[in-house]
Amino acid sequence: DVVLTQTPPTLSATIGQSVSISCRSSQSLLDSDGDTYLNWLLQRPGQSPQLLIYSVSNLESGVPNRFSGSGSETDFTLKISGVEAEDLGVYYCMQATHAPYTFGAGTKLELK
Amino acid sequence: QVQLKETGPDLVQLTQTLSITCTVSGFSLTTYNMHWVRQPPGKGLEWMGAMWNGGGTDYNSAFKSRLSISRDTSKSQVFLKMSSLQTDDTAKYFCARQLGYYWYFDFWGPGTMVTVSS
């Protein structure tokens, strides 16, 4: 199975600060169709996960553009340009290139 | 309006079988693929399996032969059934939808928490 390693496990930020989360894959997530199925989700406390970014860098409808994704093959990054209070929660990367689909262990974003 | 809702027992006895229903509205199960994902308390997410829009299924081999996913399109329901429950099956179980070759889950249900008791 593909292992996704997220760092850091915990992130403390002030409102307005820009932060980045890394997701490294144990194998390339480039699919034979040319797309890379690496997604980012946010799980706020007590809620179900919600999609933020799909296929590395595509912003899901309704998601603020302070969120951005980048990367390729095995190294991916989620950036939040100016943290807001509503951004607190656990961020997960997820790959859907290889079955079984797998998730990173999560990065908890807290207020400093 | 897209909605997904999981319903199931709060408590299941050790070695018994778990049955959970995901009822959807606002879209068709013959258009969207449906997935099951679980999350043990305080832990991460684990993909369990899928019901494809054409009626086929795929499972995470981690669950071997004890997991079964089915559906009733006339009732807009997808079913998860898992046998031989152990205490480490205690988790919140989510259903989520996915469209065709767009390999992401764009809507999730609120989840249902299941505790396996000895």
Side-chain angles (χ1 to χ4, degrees), chain A:
Chain A
D1 296 0
V2 173
V3 176
L4 298 179
T5 303
Q6 280 184 243
T7 54
T10 305
L11 200 47
S12 293
T14 55
I15 300 300
Q17 182 180 351
S18 292
V19 298
S20 293
I21 299 169
S22 170
C23 177
R24 289 191 168 173
S25 174
S26 61
Q27 55 185 279
S28 175
L29 300 183
L30 177 62
D31 193 72
S32 56
D33 66 5
D35 208 337
T36 300
Y37 300 113
L38 186 284
N39 309 317
W40 290 96
L41 303 94
L42 166 61
Q43 187 174 31
R44 296 188 174 97
Q47 295 187 16
S48 52
Q50 67 168 100
L51 179 68
L52 297 175
I53 287 175
Y54 61 92
S55 297
V56 181
S57 59
N58 296 278
L59 201 63
E60 170 67 345
S61 176
V63 174
N65 60 12
R66 63 179 178 273
F67 291 93
S68 62
S70 62
S72 63
E73 304 258 5
T74 60
D75 287 334
F76 304 92
T77 301
L78 174 72
K79 182 177 181 179
I80 310 173
S81 300
V83 168
E84 298 194 5
E86 65 180 17
D87 300 339
L88 304 184
V90 181
Y91 290 81
Y92 294 95
C93 56
M94 173 206 162
Q95 68 82 21
T97 298
H98 305 285
Y101 311 135
T102 52
F103 297 84
T107 294
K108 186 175 183 179
L109 178 60
E110 302 174 326
L111 268 184
K112 190 180 292 183

Side-chain angles (χ1 to χ4, degrees), chain B residues 16-91:
Chain B
Q16 296 303 298
T17 296
L18 170 65
S19 294
I20 302 175
T21 299
C22 173
T23 303
V24 310
S25 59
F27 66 97
S28 172
L29 295 179
T30 58
T31 300
Y32 283 81
N33 304 315
M34 295 297 297
H35 298 259
W36 288 97
V37 176
R38 74 176 185 178
Q39 183 173 38
K43 295 191 177 180
L45 301 161
E46 181 177 33
W47 180 77
M48 301 181 71
M51 166 61 73
W52 305 116
N53 59 6
T57 54
D58 268 314
Y59 302 108
N60 187 333
S61 60
F63 298 95
K64 298 181 182 176
S65 57
R66 65 189 188 108
L67 178 64
S68 174
I69 299 173
S70 59
R71 70 180 184 179
D72 183 336
T73 56
S74 68
K75 295 182 178 179
S76 294
Q77 292 180 325
V78 183
F79 310 105
L80 176 147
K81 186 169 286 189
M82 189 162 67
S83 61
S84 306
L85 287 189
Q86 300 300 311
T87 54
D88 60 2
D89 291 315
T90 293

